[in-house]
Amino acid sequence: MQPKPSLASFWHKIDPTRYIGKIFKIPFEYGGEATAKAALAELNKFIKSDINPLLDDVFKKVDDVAAKNILRSEEAAKILMEDGKKNILEIENEVVEDIDQILEIVDDKYRGAMQETFSEINRARAEALIDVRYTLGTVDRAVEARINQITLEMMRLLAKVDEIVQKAPETLYNDLFSPTLTRLEELQQDTFNQLDELVKKLDCSTVGTIKEVKLGIEASVKSIRPFSLPLFPTYCEKKMGTLAGTEIYLYRLYECEINEILAKRAKTLTIQQILDNYSQLELHASQMVCLAKRSNATGIMESAQSDWAKYGMEYRRWRDYLNQ
């Protein structure tokens, strides 16, 4: 089983802070250097303090589904990487039309430097996608679309360089940075709205009471740890200790125990055993979604529906591998 790649680590390849110094050399020539440097500092601060944490959250919530424990052969992954390197111009050209539209709003005096900078960012984006394809061993359009959206949104912000250097630093957040954050959050919300549509199709009519579901999960826990001794708690029992006595304790305990098994004993498990484990995790998550919906427990429902989608995708990926 492959280790989970952190797609957030790929952000450094498309991080605009690596390139904005080049763009801001021109404003030094046209305006006061102190003003331009102040604007540059504010932009850097915004990206590091506001954008980067948001991106980490987006990658974690949206891309974890596709990125966790993906089975792929080293040979297939290398073929994808080599194919990507051979066709990197094609990958770059996927967003060229969008970049051209963004450049149309750039003042003439900045356009040359901006075009050069965007070309560098676009090449970094393409290289990041090649890395993602190698890591996942497949072309995942949802993951790649997310990276493309974020990259283009950062380009749109940088395209407003003229506004940035002319505005007082204290006005930048409300006038430029906040709308950028809003658009990124809308992109994130679109994804969760799609997940909500899936949840609406979930049949909750067969899910029993909280007590019945709890007994079912308890039986699942006992099935993998029939000889648990209170004096010798497992890693998961210690980790989930703060949840003891809550309605989600057994749910999280079972999830933790199974993920430990999948992580440490993957090579000794058959594909069918792995499928069975993910199927059970998906089932428990769907039950928690239904219980949370009945109780209007929004926090638990959002967490459980994310689990439901994640483990369902894991199941389908391993099933597809088995059927190859």
Side-chain angles (χ1 to χ4, degrees):
M1 181 177 294
Q2 301 303 321
K4 169 190 169 186
S6 172
L7 292 188
S9 68
F10 295 126
W11 170 241
H12 78 277
K13 288 199 170 188
I14 54 175
D15 185 350
T17 59
R18 300 174 59 208
Y19 305 99
I20 54 182
K22 178 182 295 186
I23 302 171
F24 273 75
K25 286 180 182 177
I26 294 175
F28 292 166
E29 299 171 6
Y30 285 88
E33 183 170 340
T35 303
K37 282 186 175 179
L40 174 60
E42 287 299 311
L43 184 56
N44 265 298
K45 179 181 174 183
F46 166 68
I47 290 173
K48 290 177 180 177
S49 63
D50 289 291
I51 296 298
N52 286 353
L54 177 63
L55 290 170
D56 288 342
D57 193 46
V58 169
F59 282 133
K60 181 176 183 300
K61 289 181 178 177
V62 178
D63 298 333
D64 186 57
V65 174
K68 186 180 178 185
N69 296 331
I70 302 300
L71 179 74
R72 46 84 169 163
S73 71
E74 199 71 22
E75 182 180 357
K78 285 181 179 177
I79 290 173
L80 269 173
M81 173 171 272
E82 292 306 316
D83 184 64
K85 287 180 177 178
K86 186 169 63 177
N87 298 299
I88 192 166
L89 286 177
E90 183 180 326
I91 299 174
E92 289 182 30
N93 286 336
E94 289 175 354
V95 296
V96 164
E97 192 172 322
D98 296 289
I99 292 174
D100 288 343
Q101 289 179 352
I102 296 170
L103 283 170
E104 288 179 4
I105 70 170
V106 179
D107 189 285
D108 288 343
K109 61 178 177 284
Y110 304 117
R111 190 166 293 159
M114 190 72 71
Q115 190 165 22
E116 183 180 345
T117 299
F118 283 0
S119 293
E120 289 185 32
I121 294 177
N122 190 26
R123 171 54 67 106
R125 177 197 66 84
E127 291 174 352
L129 293 186
I130 292 172
D131 284 347
V132 170
R133 291 179 184 185
Y134 172 75
T135 304
L136 301 185
T138 186
V139 177
D140 191 303
R141 294 301 178 192
V143 174
E144 297 192 6
R146 183 63 45 182
I147 292 177
N148 290 346
Q149 287 171 330
I150 292 168
T151 307
L152 291 170
E153 199 56 53
M154 290 300 94
M155 288 184 183
R156 289 188 183 94
L157 177 64
L158 294 179
K160 296 182 179 180
V161 60
D162 203 18
E163 293 182 56
I164 291 174
V165 295
Q166 290 182 27
K167 288 181 180 290
E170 60 269 16
T171 67
L172 289 175
Y173 194 92
N174 287 335
D175 293 351
L176 292 176
F177 299 162
S178 184
T180 298
L181 269 180
T182 299
R183 283 192 295 273
L184 284 170
E185 287 167 351
E186 286 172 351
L187 289 175
Q188 181 183 18
Q189 190 57 48
D190 285 344
T191 302
F192 287 107
N193 287 342
Q194 293 170 16
L195 184 55
D196 286 339
E197 290 302 311
L198 287 176
V199 171
K200 289 177 183 177
K201 298 177 183 178
L202 186 62
D203 182 9
C204 292
S205 62
T206 59
V207 175
T209 63
I210 292 177
K211 183 177 180 180
E212 289 170 337
V213 171
K214 190 174 180 181
L215 287 173
I217 298 177
E218 187 174 19
S220 296
V221 173
K222 288 181 178 179
S223 71
I224 57 174
R225 301 187 58 252
F227 305 112
S228 176
L229 297 175
L231 295 178
F232 300 98
T234 66
Y235 162 79
C236 287
E237 285 175 326
K238 293 176 182 177
K239 183 179 178 180
M240 300 300 160
T242 55
L243 295 176
T246 68
E247 299 295 345
I248 63 170
Y249 171 66
L250 287 173
Y251 170 70
R252 288 300 179 201
L253 177 61
Y254 179 76
E255 178 189 37
C256 179
E257 297 284 7
I258 290 297
N259 279 320
E260 281 290 293
I261 291 172
L262 290 170
K264 295 179 178 179
R265 292 171 43 197
K267 292 181 180 180
T268 66
L269 298 174
T270 66
I271 300 296
Q272 188 58 54
Q273 286 173 320
I274 293 174
L275 278 171
D276 290 342
N277 281 318
Y278 278 128
S279 178
Q280 196 65 39
L281 286 170
E282 183 186 16
L283 173 63
H284 287 331
S286 69
Q287 291 171 334
M288 292 302 293
V289 170
C290 290
L291 293 178
K293 282 179 69 176
R294 291 178 192 170
S295 305
N296 291 320
T298 304
I300 294 176
M301 187 176 75
E302 289 182 353
S303 178
Q305 72 183 32
S306 178
D307 295 340
W308 176 58
K310 174 172 65 177
Y311 294 126
M313 182 170 285
E314 293 290 357
Y315 176 86
R316 289 187 290 277
R317 287 184 184 277
W318 284 90
R319 180 198 59 197
D320 292 345
Y321 175 78
L322 182 63
N323 293 335
Q324 285 177 357

